[in-house]
């Protein structure tokens, strides 16, 4: 009896000693919450999700599965419970940034120092969405996908219905950061703060969120607008697609295209709404814009004129083949999903394909029908301008025909010629 009591007391003393030692190291781990969100939870998915060896305790390799309360931090921080299961291994304190990549100085200049020094080469594989923890222990996230264009082709409606998936967190649609506002003194921090709704979801203590929730950027200029690159850097050596290829090599790109003549007319009716609009005035604008483009072609190639064009109407946005050719040179085809506005009109057929492309959980047929039945977003229904003049359509069809034929060839789909 006495021997049993002595053994029990000895065992209890050992347990208390180990508990004190464990608690001491655990407090150190909690003081560095970024260590709990290591890149060891899920398999590697390319450079972007390469595992990063991390240690959170001084004890040798073992598995810790627990729920911890992380300290309150400023900004978009890990301020609530996060359920983490992590394999522990020796800590690697070297976080490689994009600035460490072997890329040209001209491309680094286009990317910008803030992005180079802030965004890691490896995102945190705890999350499906590309996220990382910065030096201030704040969780930061970039978009999982880009609905990159084109404007007045149904992007608002398409993004609205993608955002209706329960695993997609809606954010501001037209941030235009990569192509425009970053050249006008809007910082990367400003852009990342726009993703805070996702950060809140990812740190609310539900392990499901870490595996599923994503965000998208719906800036319809991402695909085609490189004017600031040419203006600021003096050449078109590097484009927006080059920048994103370095920053997010595994990102998914969606592009939607409309008959270019119809797209141009819709844009004319939509933008600068206070101006007096008419089909006749549009025809005059088309004549002027085609003349401007053709004048450029006398001394430059089609690509240069497409990216640097500044005419009365945004005629160049419809030269889709130039943009698509540049993007497919930088990204694998399986990371891009292209469709026409014509196909999008059959939402119940197209939306499940897009969800599959985004690797989102499939939804029931009833749920798809419900989403597709939602009111169409951002239409020109109230704009009373009248139909496009027949002579104007003939002019535009003639202008766009060779470009659409090339687009159909690039994509291997004759529907993209629109039989112009």
């Amino acid at each position: 009896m006495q021997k049993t009591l002595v053994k029990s007391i000895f065992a209890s003393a050992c347990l208390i000693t180990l508990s004190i030692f464990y608690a001491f190291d655990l407090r150190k781990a909690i003081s560095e919450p970024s260590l709990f969100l290591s890149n060891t939870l899920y398999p590697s998915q390319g450079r972007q999700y390469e595992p990063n060896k991390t240690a959170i305790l001084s004890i040798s390799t073992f598995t810790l599965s627990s729920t911890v309360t992380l300290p309150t931090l400023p900004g978009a921080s890990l301020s609530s419970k996060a359920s983490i299961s992590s394999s522990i291994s020796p800590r690697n304190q070297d976080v490689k940034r994009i600035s460490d990549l072997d890329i040209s100085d001209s491309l680094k200049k286009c990317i910008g120092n803030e992005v180079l020094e802030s965004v890691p080469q490896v995102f945190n594989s705890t999350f499906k969405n590309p996220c990382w923890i910065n030096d201030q222990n704040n969780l930061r996230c970039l978009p999982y996908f880009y609905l990159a264009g084109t404007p007045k082709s149904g992007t608002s409606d398409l993004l609205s219905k993608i955002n209706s998936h329960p695993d997609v967190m809606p954010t501001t649609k037209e941030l235009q950061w990569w192509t425009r506002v970053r050249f006008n003194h809007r910082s990367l921090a400003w852009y990342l703060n726009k993703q805070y709704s996702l950060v809140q979801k990812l740190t609310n203590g539900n392990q499901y969120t870490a595996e599923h929730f994503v965000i998208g950027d719906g800036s319809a200029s991402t695909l085609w607008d490189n004017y600031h690159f040419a203006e600021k850097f003096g050449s078109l050596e590097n484009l927006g697609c080059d920048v994103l290829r370095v920053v997010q090599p595994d990102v998914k790109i969606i592009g939607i295209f409309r008959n270019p003549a119809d797209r141009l007319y819709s844009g004319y009716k939509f933008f600068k709404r206070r101006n007096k609009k008419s089909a006749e005035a549009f025809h005059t604008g088309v004549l002027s814009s085609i003349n401007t483009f053709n004048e450029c072609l006398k001394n430059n190639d089609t690509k240069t004129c497409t990216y640097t064009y500044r005419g009365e109407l945004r005629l160049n946005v419809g030269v889709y083949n130039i943009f698509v050719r540049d993007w497919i040179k930088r990204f694998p085809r399986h990371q891009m999903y292209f469709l026409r506005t014509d196909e999008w009109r059959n939402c119940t057929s197209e939306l499940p394909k897009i969800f599959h492309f985004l690797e989102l959980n499939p939804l029931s047929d009833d749920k798809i029908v419900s989403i597709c039945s939602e009111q169409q977003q951002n239409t020109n229904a109230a704009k009373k301008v009248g139909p496009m003049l027949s002579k104007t359509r003939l002019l535009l069809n003639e202008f766009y025909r060779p470009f659409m034929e090339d687009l159909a060839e690039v994509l291997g789909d004759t529907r993209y010629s629109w039989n112009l």
Side-chain angles (χ1 to χ4, degrees), residues 105-125:
D105 290 340
S106 61
L107 181 51
K108 285 185 176 182
K109 189 176 181 181
C110 289
I111 295 171
N113 287 334
E114 188 182 17
V115 177
L116 289 169
E117 299 299 335
S118 299
V119 180
Q121 293 183 32
V122 178
F123 292 124
N124 196 305
S125 60

Side-chain angles (χ1 to χ4, degrees), residues 214-230:
V214 298
I215 50 174
D217 183 324
S219 302
S221 64
T222 304
L223 185 76
W224 63 273
D225 192 354
N226 286 281
Y227 183 82
H228 288 287
F229 285 84

Side-chain angles (χ1 to χ4, degrees), residues 223-366:
L223 185 76
W224 63 273
D225 192 354
N226 286 281
Y227 183 82
H228 288 287
F229 285 84
E231 183 180 56
K232 184 176 179 63
F233 305 113
S235 76
L236 292 169
E237 177 187 358
N238 299 299
L239 305 170
C241 50
D242 293 294
V243 171
L244 280 179
R245 178 59 180 163
V246 172
V247 179
Q248 294 184 257
D250 297 326
V251 77
K252 296 178 182 294
I253 306 295
I254 300 175
I256 182 170
F257 305 100
R258 184 179 183 179
N259 177 303
D262 292 332
R263 193 216 64 79
L264 187 65
Y265 194 42
S266 179
Y268 167 76
K269 292 186 288 184
F270 181 80
F271 297 108
K272 298 180 181 179
R273 299 187 189 188
R274 293 183 179 181
N275 295 356
K276 185 177 181 180
K277 305 291 180 73
S278 70
E280 291 77 12
F282 177 69
H283 181 78
T284 301
V286 167
L287 288 171
S288 173
S289 298
I290 291 177
N291 181 65
T292 299
F293 196 91
N294 288 337
E295 283 296 316
C296 178
L297 290 176
K298 291 180 180 180
N299 299 304
N300 302 280
D301 59 24
T302 303
K303 177 176 176 176
T304 299
C305 292
T306 300
Y307 282 129
T308 62
Y309 164 90
R310 282 295 205 219
E312 184 175 343
L313 302 172
R314 296 203 296 184
L315 188 78
N316 61 322
V317 180
V319 187
Y320 307 140
N321 61 313
I322 297 295
F323 316 131
V324 170
R325 281 191 176 277
D326 280 331
W327 280 86
I328 64 177
K329 287 178 182 176
R330 276 72 172 183
F331 286 88
R333 187 66 179 86
H334 70 267
Q335 288 178 221
M336 294 180 285
Y337 189 99
F338 298 129
L339 71 157
R340 302 186 311 156
T341 307
D342 307 68
E343 281 73 61
W344 178 238
R345 292 190 178 99
N346 188 0
C347 172
T348 55
S349 174
E350 201 65 31
L351 191 58
K353 299 176 186 176
I354 296 171
F355 287 158
H356 178 75
F357 165 74
L358 293 174
E359 300 180 65
L360 301 174
N361 289 323
L363 303 182
S364 67
D365 291 343
D366 288 344

Side-chain angles (χ1 to χ4, degrees), residues 92-280:
N92 176 9
Q93 298 188 19
D94 297 326
V95 178
K96 292 185 177 180
R97 307 293 181 184
I98 294 175
S99 56
D100 298 318
L101 291 173
D102 184 16
I103 56 178
S104 68
D105 290 340
S106 61
L107 181 51
K108 285 185 176 182
K109 189 176 181 181
C110 289
I111 295 171
N113 287 334
E114 188 182 17
V115 177
L116 289 169
E117 299 299 335
S118 299
V119 180
Q121 293 183 32
V122 178
F123 292 124
N124 196 305
S125 60
T126 302
F127 309 113
K128 180 175 183 176
N129 197 88
C131 299
W132 72 99
I133 299 172
N134 67 10
D135 295 337
Q136 292 74 43
N137 281 339
N138 293 332
L139 184 65
R140 295 299 194 186
C141 299
L142 285 168
Y144 173 76
F145 69 91
Y146 290 87
L147 177 50
T150 54
K152 305 317 300 172
S153 299
T155 56
S156 295
D157 189 59
L158 175 55
L159 184 64
S160 172
K161 289 176 171 56
I162 292 175
N163 285 343
S164 293
H165 192 287
D167 293 342
V168 181
M169 290 296 302
T171 59
T172 305
K173 177 181 183 282
E174 297 281 358
L175 292 174
Q176 317 282 8
W177 191 80
W178 291 104
T179 57
R180 298 176 185 174
V181 301
R182 73 188 184 103
F183 298 111
N184 295 312
H185 311 294
R186 287 289 191 181
S187 67
L188 175 65
W190 175 88
Y191 181 59
L192 296 177
N193 284 338
K194 298 296 183 180
Q195 329 301 337
Y196 186 61
S197 60
L198 175 67
V199 171
Q200 289 178 307
K201 277 287 184 182
L202 293 181
T203 57
N204 73 351
N206 186 342
Q207 182 67 22
Y208 171 85
T209 64
E211 298 177 5
H212 292 80
F213 274 101
V214 298
I215 50 174
D217 183 324
S219 302
S221 64
T222 304
L223 185 76
W224 63 273
D225 192 354
N226 286 281
Y227 183 82
H228 288 287
F229 285 84
E231 183 180 56
K232 184 176 179 63
F233 305 113
S235 76
L236 292 169
E237 177 187 358
N238 299 299
L239 305 170
C241 50
D242 293 294
V243 171
L244 280 179
R245 178 59 180 163
V246 172
V247 179
Q248 294 184 257
D250 297 326
V251 77
K252 296 178 182 294
I253 306 295
I254 300 175
I256 182 170
F257 305 100
R258 184 179 183 179
N259 177 303
D262 292 332
R263 193 216 64 79
L264 187 65
Y265 194 42
S266 179
Y268 167 76
K269 292 186 288 184
F270 181 80
F271 297 108
K272 298 180 181 179
R273 299 187 189 188
R274 293 183 179 181
N275 295 356
K276 185 177 181 180
K277 305 291 180 73
S278 70
E280 291 77 12

